[in-house]
Amino acid sequence: MSKLFPNAAKFFAGSTITKTAAPVVTTSSSKYSTKSEATFEIKPYKLHKLEKGPATSATLTAEDALKIYEKLAVLRRIETASGNLYKEKIIRGFCHLYSGQEAVAVGMRSAMRDVDTVITAYRCHGWTHLMGVSVLGVLSELTGRRTGCSRGKGGSMHLYGRNFYGGNGIVGAQAPLGAGIALAHKYRGDGGVTFTLYGDGAANQGQLFEAYNMAKLWDLPCVFVCENNGYGMGTSVDRSSASTEYYSRGDYVPGIWVDGMDVIATREATRYAIDYCTSGKGPLVMEMETYRYSGHSMSDPGTSYRTRDEVQEVRQTRDPITSFKEKIISRELVTPDQLKEIDTKVRKEVDEATKQSKTEPEVGTEELSGDVYYNCLEPYIRGLHPEAPLQHCEVVARN
């Protein structure tokens, strides 16, 4: 990790940001900032086979600052609730938390358009919410209840939403699927771009390089995003990869290194990526250097291959929420009172959803064969064996 994060304090030098999710409503008589916008400098990007990269400074409005802060807070709160539900044994099976990596998802989503699509790995709770699923829809899916976005049948690794293709449990398998979704955008001519996310642990998978090849052959509008959090399960990047410059691993596919702890940097890089792909230049590789606070999954304490001091240093010097909060307060875009209102609102929303996710009923056994196909051509589908077929049914109409 010393190679990956040579100087944590020095690392968090720049920053920038703009668009994001739903507006924040504040109704108290708190003191509000009078500044409408501010410009932030961004830590320099590293480029591979590109003459020009994303903007190194960006303007952020007060409205967008509040929106982004709220989304960062919601994602952190969802993961805190998820961890507690797992410890209570209400969430079962695998559970991978995103705490520490929120700036990647929030920054990217704030730059994306409605036509764009996302596919990621199994650390997907935050992305699911950002792509339109309610907090209850996420937490109920984790607890296996009917109000979950997959009716409680998918669990932590298989959450889906409109233009969001999961949540994929097989390491690296989402990469070729992402290339396929990008092919659909090009085939339809809808102008959409697919963001295919994977971790540094999946970066050495052969299927990833096959996806690079096909995407470049056909100049697909696909952005391959490596969320480099420093460790593939319990193995550091220095021990697993001969080259840790993941943004250059596409070889003939241009790439960009981005400070993944800076939500403004991730937003600006995503804007650049959309412009690049929609101009017909083909795919792009983006490496988002970030960090996860929890272990690989809930069964991993995360301290056998790194020290607690290392984790604490990142929390104190590079936390994506704390650092963004300090920036927007120091530039007088927001006031502490406004952020306190958001924190209170977020805490209430997540706490209520957590409580409801514990009490909602599970789906019945009749849904075992429900919604397997969008358009099922046969009345029955195979069950445990050919002699015991199941009748297919549509439970939730596709929108």
Side-chain angles (χ1 to χ4, degrees):
M1 282 302 293
S2 60
K3 180 178 176 183
L4 183 65
F5 302 116
N7 188 319
K10 189 176 179 182
F11 180 91
F12 198 82
S15 176
T16 122
I17 205 164
T18 99
K19 256 186 174 181
T20 173
V24 177
V25 179
T26 52
T27 57
S28 80
S29 57
S30 303
K31 187 177 179 182
Y32 297 103
S33 172
T34 56
K35 283 197 174 180
S36 60
E37 63 180 38
T39 300
F40 297 86
E41 297 300 314
I42 303 172
K43 186 180 180 72
Y45 301 97
K46 299 175 187 177
L47 306 179
H48 170 67
K49 293 199 172 182
L50 290 169
E51 293 183 1
K52 185 180 179 181
T56 54
S57 66
T59 300
L60 181 66
T61 66
E63 181 184 7
D64 284 342
L66 290 169
K67 291 176 182 178
I68 288 168
Y69 180 81
E70 180 178 15
K71 288 304 178 186
L72 290 169
V74 170
L75 264 58
R76 180 67 60 86
R77 199 80 189 176
I78 285 175
E79 295 300 56
T80 300
S82 300
N84 292 335
L85 287 169
Y86 192 92
K87 292 170 185 175
E88 294 173 36
K89 298 185 179 180
I90 296 173
I91 293 177
R92 302 280 185 160
F94 294 103
C95 185
H96 306 82
L97 304 183
Y98 202 62
S99 301
Q101 300 183 211
E102 297 92 348
V104 175
V106 173
M108 288 180 63
R109 185 67 182 98
S110 67
M112 288 169 57
R113 307 157 302 164
D114 290 342
V115 71
D116 298 324
T117 49
V118 174
I119 186 168
T120 187
Y122 36 73
R123 210 176 297 280
C124 61
H125 309 158
W127 265 111
T128 307
H129 175 62
L130 292 176
M131 292 301 288
V133 175
S134 67
V135 174
L136 177 62
V138 173
L139 293 176
S140 289
E141 189 58 40
L142 301 185
T143 58
R145 310 303 171 121
R146 68 179 182 182
T147 44
C149 59
S150 300
R151 300 285 290 169
K153 296 187 287 185
S156 174
M157 296 193 289
H158 303 100
L159 296 92
Y160 305 93
R162 184 170 181 79
N163 284 351
F164 180 62
Y165 294 84
N168 291 268
I170 300 175
V171 175
Q174 70 274 19
L177 295 177
I181 299 167
L183 176 61
H185 281 307
K186 185 168 185 176
Y187 183 81
R188 293 173 176 171
D190 59 17
V193 173
T194 298
F195 292 89
T196 302
L197 295 100
Y198 56 95
D200 53 278
N204 297 318
Q205 285 276 321
Q207 57 194 330
L208 176 62
F209 295 91
E210 294 179 55
Y212 286 164
N213 183 56
M214 289 188 289
K216 186 57 183 173
L217 272 174
W218 299 331
D219 280 337
L220 302 180
C222 186
V223 183
F224 295 96
V225 184
C226 177
E227 292 189 90
N228 176 10
N229 62 25
Y231 298 95
M233 296 189 73
T235 305
S236 70
V237 293
D238 295 329
R239 293 180 58 224
S240 66
S241 298
S243 169
T244 57
E245 294 181 338
Y246 296 105
Y247 68 99
S248 69
R249 298 272 292 267
D251 187 13
Y252 40 79
V253 179
I256 308 171
W257 176 93
V258 184
D259 178 356
M261 302 298 269
D262 178 1
V263 71
I264 303 174
T266 61
R267 187 196 67 173
E268 294 305 309
T270 303
R271 285 178 169 175
Y272 174 91
I274 291 173
D275 289 342
Y276 182 92
C277 289
T278 54
S279 65
K281 296 176 182 177
L284 196 64
V285 175
M286 285 205 304
E287 176 187 350
M288 300 282 193
E289 190 166 310
T290 183
Y291 196 82
R292 61 169 163 82
Y293 295 147
S294 302
H296 171 73
S297 67
M298 288 299 295
S299 60
D300 168 25
T303 53
S304 59
Y305 47 86
R306 60 183 182 178
T307 65
R308 287 185 171 85
D309 289 342
E310 177 187 301
V311 179
Q312 193 60 27
E313 180 187 15
V314 176
R315 281 186 181 274
Q316 292 174 352
T317 60
R318 296 176 51 219
D319 182 81
I321 301 178
T322 303
S323 57
F324 180 65
K325 178 180 179 178
E326 291 172 352
K327 288 178 183 180
I328 58 179
I329 289 177
S330 66
R331 301 301 292 273
E332 299 179 3
L333 282 178
V334 302
T335 64
D337 286 336
Q338 287 176 289
L339 299 186
K340 286 177 184 177
E341 285 184 2
I342 292 175
D343 289 337
T344 301
K345 171 189 171 184
V346 168
R347 185 183 304 111
K348 180 180 179 182
E349 178 185 8
V350 176
D351 286 352
E352 289 177 353
T354 301
K355 184 177 180 180
Q356 188 174 345
S357 72
K358 296 179 182 181
T359 58
E360 287 287 335
E362 299 175 358
V363 297
T365 55
E366 68 277 1
E367 286 197 32
L368 181 64
S369 57
D371 296 328
V372 176
Y373 296 102
Y374 163 53
N375 183 20
C376 190
L377 300 178
E378 302 291 338
Y380 293 94
I381 61 174
R382 178 169 174 157
L384 291 176
H385 58 83
E387 302 303 318
L390 299 171
Q391 185 166 6
H392 186 272
C393 62
E394 181 182 86
V395 180
V396 181
R398 181 173 174 177
N399 57 17

